Amino acid sequence: MWRDTQPAPPDPILGLTEAWKADPNPQKVNLGVGVYQDEQGRTPVLPSVKAAEAALLGRETTKAYLPIAGEPEYARRVEELVFGAGDRPAGGGRVRTAYAPGGTGALRVAGDLAAALGGRGHTVWLSTPTWPNHRGIFSAAGLETREYPYFHAATGSLDRDGFRAALERVPVGDLVVLHAGCHNPTGVDLEEPDWEWVAATAQARGWIPVVDAAYLGFAGTVEQDAAPLRRLLAAGVNFLVAVSFSKNMSLYRERVGALVLAAADTGSADAIFSHVKRVIRVLYSNPAAHGALTATAVLSDALLRSMWDREVAEMRARLAAVRTAFSDALSARMPDRDFGFIRRQRGLFSFTGLTPAQTTRLRERYGIYMTVDGRVNVVGLTPANLDYVADAIAETIRAVA
Ligand code: LMR
C-alpha cells in the first residue's frame, strides 16, 4: 500500500506559497495566501501582541494542561468581542465557547460535532464559490457537502434570488456555512437585510448557521463586523461561530480561534457543549496555551485593547487604499473595462474574474501567484510591485481572452 501511494495534489492555497518560494524569478509576487502584509511586504508581529507576550512570559508559572475547552477567561473575552459586553453575560446563558486551533480548527470541531449529533452523512451547505478548505474540512468530518448559489459573476454581486431560494429549502438540522464578512474568495458580503432574512429563515426552518468569522475588523470595525452575529443571537437562532484571530491579531502561526455556540437555552447549551468537549478530546485533547493567553491579554487590558483597535484600523485603511490603487492602476491600462468592483469588494481578497488560463499564464510568465480562480490577496500588492502586476494583468487579458 505504501509503495503504490501516489502523491496528493498540492493545496490550492498553501501550495501556492511553496511554489512561489521555489520560483527563481526575481520579480515574483505572491498574491495567493490570505495573509496581511504591510507596504514593505512584511507581516509583522503587532505591537499589542508583542507587549502582551512580554508580560505573559514574566507571569507564566506552569505548563500544566488547560481545560479541554480552554481558559474560561479566553471564552469570556471572545464572547464579549463577538456579542458585546453588557451587564449580563454576553450570550445571556445560551452561549458556550471553546478555544480552537484557528478558524480551521473551529470549523473541524463544528463538523465533528454535527457528525456526533446528527450522524455521518449529515449535510452541510456551502456557498458557490467558497474557501476550498471548507469542503475538505466537512468531508473529513464525514458530512455530506452541498452548495447554495451565492456569487453572480456577470454583475460581480450577490445572487440574492438564488441564495434565498436555495436556503428556503434547506431541511431542518442541516448546517449552512455563511461568511460573517469579507467573503472568501469573492469579497461580496451579505447586507443587513440579508442577515435579517437569514435569522428569520434559519429560525423558521430549523437549519443551523455556521458563521465563519475570520476577518472581524477588516471590513468595518470589529463591532460593526460582528453585527450579523449579534443579530442571530438576538433572534434566538441556534448557531455556531468559527472565530479566528489569525488575521485581525496577525497570530497566524499561533493558531488562535474559538468555536462559539448559541443554543435555545442554558440546558441545551450545556448538553451540546459537553459533546464539543468530547470532540476536542479525541481530536487534540486540549488546547495550546500561548496564542489564546496572548489574545486574552490583548482583549482584557484596556491599553493593549486600544492599541489593537488602532492596529486593526491601520490594516483596514491599507486594505482600502490598496483597493483604490489596484482599481486605478488597472483602469489606467484598460480604460474600456470597469474595475470598480475591486473597490466595492471587502476584506483581503479581490475576485478579479481572471480565468484559469490567465492566472496560469501570469504565474508561468511573470511569477505572479494567485489562486487559479482569479482570487488576489490585495495586500500582496505594494508600491514596489503594483505597476509590474497591473502591466502583467493588462497584457495577459489582451493576450488570452
Ligand atoms: C486563505 O484563504 O488564503 C486563508 O484563509 C489561508 C488559508 O488557510 O487558506
Side-chain angles (χ1 to χ4, degrees), residues 169-256:
R169 291 195 300 269
V170 168
V172 61
D174 280 8
L175 306 185
V176 176
V177 175
L178 301 160
H179 302 223
C182 306
H183 182 272
N184 182 0
T186 66
V188 172
D189 285 341
L190 298 178
E191 292 171 15
E192 224 178 297
D194 300 313
W195 283 109
E196 213 168 293
W197 182 90
V198 164
T201 310
Q203 185 73 322
R205 303 247 353 142
W207 46 258
I208 299 165
V210 179
V211 188
D212 189 342
Y215 300 96
L216 296 177
F218 272 22
T221 62
V222 174
E223 290 264 308
Q224 287 165 341
D225 289 356
L229 307 169
R230 295 176 190 193
R231 178 180 292 284
L232 293 180
L233 188 74
V237 177
N238 293 314
F239 67 108
L240 296 161
V241 189
V243 176
S244 170
F245 290 110
S246 295
K247 325 279 173 170
N248 59 16
M249 268 193 206
S250 219
L251 281 171
Y252 304 90
R253 63 175 62 172
E254 299 295 354
R255 313 307 300 136
V256 196

Side-chain angles (χ1 to χ4, degrees), residues 3-27:
R3 201 178 42 236
D4 296 338
T5 299
Q6 298 300 308
D11 183 80
I13 295 175
L14 300 184
L16 280 179
T17 304
E18 289 171 33
W20 174 81
K21 280 186 181 153
D23 189 335
N25 183 341
Q27 286 184 294

Side-chain angles (χ1 to χ4, degrees), residues 216-218 222 248 308-317:
L216 296 177
F218 272 22
V222 174
N248 59 16
W308 178 59
D309 283 335
R310 280 198 302 279
E311 291 155 0
V312 179
E314 258 171 50
M315 292 195 271
R316 193 165 57 239

Side-chain angles (χ1 to χ4, degrees), residues 47-215:
S48 60
V49 164
K50 266 276 185 237
E53 286 181 312
L56 276 180
L57 203 60
R59 279 208 298 273
E60 195 173 53
T61 54
T62 182
K63 297 285 188 190
Y65 290 128
L66 290 177
I68 293 175
E71 289 283 14
E73 180 63 6
Y74 174 66
R76 194 166 75 81
R77 294 295 170 181
V78 170
E79 288 170 17
E80 277 181 10
L81 189 73
V82 167
F83 295 131
D87 300 336
R88 283 153 35 81
R94 299 167 43 212
V95 171
R96 300 289 177 276
T97 297
Y99 160 91
T104 302
L107 290 165
R108 178 58 195 265
V109 172
D112 280 16
L113 175 72
L117 301 182
R120 287 175 78 81
H122 202 78
T123 301
V124 54
W125 295 78
L126 307 173
S127 63
T128 311
T130 194
W131 182 48
N133 215 23
H134 277 151
R135 188 161 300 100
I137 291 166
F138 291 109
S139 301
L143 304 186
E144 188 191 327
T145 58
R146 298 188 62 181
E147 296 192 11
Y148 60 84
Y150 187 83
F151 182 67
H152 189 250
T155 55
S157 57
L158 176 70
D159 174 4
R160 186 163 283 112
D161 291 346
F163 172 79
R164 293 192 178 188
L167 295 199
E168 252 159 17
R169 291 195 300 269
V170 168
V172 61
D174 280 8
L175 306 185
V176 176
V177 175
L178 301 160
H179 302 223
C182 306
H183 182 272
N184 182 0
T186 66
V188 172
D189 285 341
L190 298 178
E191 292 171 15
E192 224 178 297
D194 300 313
W195 283 109
E196 213 168 293
W197 182 90
V198 164
T201 310
Q203 185 73 322
R205 303 247 353 142
W207 46 258
I208 299 165
V210 179
V211 188
D212 189 342
Y215 300 96

